[in-house]
Amino acid sequence: MIEDPETGWLLTGPAVSPENSFFIVGKDGNKEEHSVCLSPTIDVELLRDLFAFCVHAAKRLNTDSAFAQRVQAAQAKLPPLQVGKHGQLQEWLYDFEEAQPYHRHLSHTMALCRSAQVSLRHTPLLAEAIGVTLERRQGRDDLEDIEFTAALFGLNYARLGKAEKAEAQIGHLVGELSFDNLLSYSKPGVAGAEKNIFVVDGNFGGAAVIAEMLVRSLMPDLGGPVEVDLLPALPKLWSEGAVKGMRLRGNLELDMEWFDGRLEKASFKAFSPGSMTVYYREQSLKISYKADDAIELGPGLQVRK
């Protein structure tokens, strides 16, 4: 990494935002399409989590303290996530004009859909910016329709609490991007394929979307308390149901039942000590637990004995 002399930020590069490109406008007004740059947003997001993991591991293992201090100092100098002129999450370090605003890749939304760097609760403005990005990505009828894109749209919408939009992506994935045996596929033309080709991304991603719609577990501070949201993106079509054995961050397992769109009960089993805050609609409850604790909550998050 190199240090930007103007901002002091540590930058990666040369790098790309996978398969996407942008325009640079010259003094003569002509546009040149480029893809290689310094510190695309996906680099920053992955490094921020990687650095946090390294610092946390060094602390837990009581080792490499000097290295951990260097990593922590570097983490503090990473560029911030930024909102562009359209209200979207910037995909690159600078607010370049996107060559394909509708591109199938959503790599820079990883801060929301696979990380705790962006969330509705803690960084609402950045969460809103990712919502704008999702809408811009779907701004053309001829969007390149890929199974992993459907999964990523669904994951992001689930974490934004947009239940019906997340459910629509699941319906599209199962109904139009899967074989009769429910294995997901990419359509002809993708990667030069002449016919539908099985790609497992849709199966893994689709299962993750369904899980995220029913329960969201985040650890904003690695090693700290867990935030658990129950039924955060429950669509009308799923107004009644139950799940068992949902594994959560914090080394927890959840069984849950709901009826008429409302929580009936949630049962947690803890496999190691920790603490969590459980959220359901406008209610919240802080709980500390020990290994082997069993905790059952009712519709109002009241603890049942």
Side-chain angles (χ1 to χ4, degrees), residues 230-282:
L230 301 177
L231 304 178
L234 185 71
K236 294 178 182 177
L237 281 174
W238 302 356
S239 62
E240 182 178 346
V243 290
K244 290 182 179 294
M246 301 281 281
R247 292 303 295 252
L248 311 179
R249 290 169 179 82
N251 209 11
L252 295 160
E253 185 175 284
L254 169 69
D255 297 344
M256 183 170 56
E257 297 177 12
W258 63 95
F259 179 76
D260 197 23
R262 295 179 177 274
L263 179 71
E264 287 289 310
K265 69 175 182 178
S267 302
F268 296 90
K269 181 179 179 181
F271 294 90
S272 59
S275 60
M276 64 176 167
T277 302
V278 182
Y279 297 89
Y280 176 63
R281 297 188 174 180
E282 302 303 318

Side-chain angles (χ1 to χ4, degrees), residues 49 85 127 153 243 282 300:
D49 275 346
K85 56 181 173 289
F153 277 128
V243 290
E282 302 303 318

Side-chain angles (χ1 to χ4, degrees), residues 7 15 21 28-29 33 36 45 72 74 83 94 96 113 136 142 158 179 195 199 203 226 237 247 259 272 284-285:
T7 62
S21 56
D28 56 3
E33 189 171 347
V36 177
E45 293 167 341
Q72 201 161 22
V83 178
Y94 303 106
F96 294 128
C113 69
R136 284 174 57 78
D142 58 345
F179 297 108
K195 57 183 180 180
V199 182
N203 293 113
V226 181
L237 281 174
R247 292 303 295 252
F259 179 76
S272 59
S284 64
L285 178 67

